Amino acid sequence: MHALETAAIAAAAVAAGGINAVVGSGTLITFPTLLAFGYPPVLANVSNTIGLVPGVLSAAYGYRGELAGQRTRMIRLGAVALCGGLVGALVLLKLPADTFRAAVPVLILLACVLVLVQPRLGTWLRRRGSHPQGENVLPVSVGVLGTSMYGGYFGAAQGVLLMGLLGTFLPDGIQRLNALKNYLAALVNGIAAAVFVAVTQVDWAVAGVIAAGSVVGGFTGARLGRRLPPAVLRGLIVTVGVVASVAVIV
């Protein structure tokens, strides 16, 4: 990589790390950047996934305070996320790159709708008694499995999908759910990265640049995101989700 290319990828990685910490659509910054510099799609996706892992981990660490008291969720949903991420990564290596293209914008827009209506939907579910012991365990587990499979396959707007899902079925504050989202995304990206390292080609120079930039962005995004009021964070998630769906369609 020449200096301009390295600087551009690093800047994209910082932005992606920050967005992943707060919302979760950083892939839509780094992945197109790699394509613009001529990297093949699968190589770009693999190298990008590996590079973003340290950034997602730094974001999860930055939100560690909000993870307090969520140990049971973390264990149960973490196991599901690992399984889904593993399947998604293996699917990426077997199927054409555009297999899920038609479904992705629909999923992202649906997640945006869920984020918007979460407060009222959560109240309605609780009134109907649909939150056994405070949570809908089966639906959220199935949803995390599907979202994690998608995350292991590509991952664009994985965070938006997770926030729409978690906010609908887990009655908790949006900042605590955002912390859980970062934790689950770190597991998905981590297991997918392990698969890619083991069985396919990686551009380690690109992955290294993205890793360094995403760590900076992840710590910064976590510090800023924790200070955002719930309404602002919800609006930011929806805005990024809509932009992400349009970008995928284009």
Side-chain angles (χ1 to χ4, degrees), residues 54-111:
V56 180
L57 288 173
S58 68
Y61 180 78
Y63 268 94
R64 63 192 181 280
E66 284 73 16
L67 286 174
Q70 300 197 67
R71 182 177 180 182
T72 300
R73 289 176 181 170
M74 292 170 66
I75 294 174
R76 181 179 66 245
L77 296 181
V80 174
L82 285 172
C83 292
L86 175 61
V87 172
L90 294 174
V91 168
L92 173 67
L93 301 176
K94 294 294 184 181
L95 296 183
D98 61 351
T99 301
F100 292 153
R101 184 175 297 170
V104 169
V106 177
L107 291 172
I108 297 173
L109 288 174
L110 176 60

Side-chain angles (χ1 to χ4, degrees), residues 3-4 12 16-17 21 25-26 31 49 53 61 75 78 93 99 101 108 119 145-146 167-168 185-186 189 204 211 236:
L4 178 61
S25 291
F31 183 68
T49 297
V53 169
Y61 180 78
I75 294 174
L93 301 176
T99 301
R101 184 175 297 170
I108 297 173
L145 178 63
T168 299
N189 284 16
W204 288 106
L236 183 59

Side-chain angles (χ1 to χ4, degrees), residues 34-58:
L34 296 181
L35 295 182
F37 283 111
Y39 291 89
V42 174
L43 177 62
N45 190 22
V46 167
S47 303
N48 179 64
T49 297
I50 293 172
L52 287 177
V53 169
V56 180
L57 288 173
S58 68

Side-chain angles (χ1 to χ4, degrees), residues 5-185:
E5 180 179 341
T6 301
I9 294 174
V14 172
I19 290 176
N20 276 340
V22 181
V23 183
S25 291
T27 294
L28 291 174
I29 298 178
T30 46
F31 183 68
T33 300
L34 296 181
L35 295 182
F37 283 111
Y39 291 89
V42 174
L43 177 62
N45 190 22
V46 167
S47 303
N48 179 64
T49 297
I50 293 172
L52 287 177
V53 169
V56 180
L57 288 173
S58 68
Y61 180 78
Y63 268 94
R64 63 192 181 280
E66 284 73 16
L67 286 174
Q70 300 197 67
R71 182 177 180 182
T72 300
R73 289 176 181 170
M74 292 170 66
I75 294 174
R76 181 179 66 245
L77 296 181
V80 174
L82 285 172
C83 292
L86 175 61
V87 172
L90 294 174
V91 168
L92 173 67
L93 301 176
K94 294 294 184 181
L95 296 183
D98 61 351
T99 301
F100 292 153
R101 184 175 297 170
V104 169
V106 177
L107 291 172
I108 297 173
L109 288 174
L110 176 60
C112 291
V113 172
L114 289 175
V115 171
L116 279 174
V117 303
Q118 275 168 10
R120 293 185 179 181
L121 181 60
T123 300
W124 180 78
L125 287 171
R126 285 189 291 275
R127 286 177 178 174
R128 288 179 56 87
S130 298
H131 279 311
Q133 298 180 353
E135 298 183 3
N136 267 323
V137 176
L138 181 59
V140 75
S141 297
V142 172
V144 167
L145 178 63
T147 303
S148 300
M149 290 173 62
Y150 166 70
Y153 181 87
F154 181 46
Q158 175 188 189
V160 176
L161 294 172
L162 279 172
M163 287 302 292
L165 175 72
L166 298 176
T168 299
F169 296 108
L170 300 181
D172 209 336
I174 192 169
Q175 291 288 7
R176 283 171 54 81
L177 294 180
N178 199 31
L180 182 61
K181 175 265 293 180
N182 285 333
Y183 164 76
L184 295 175

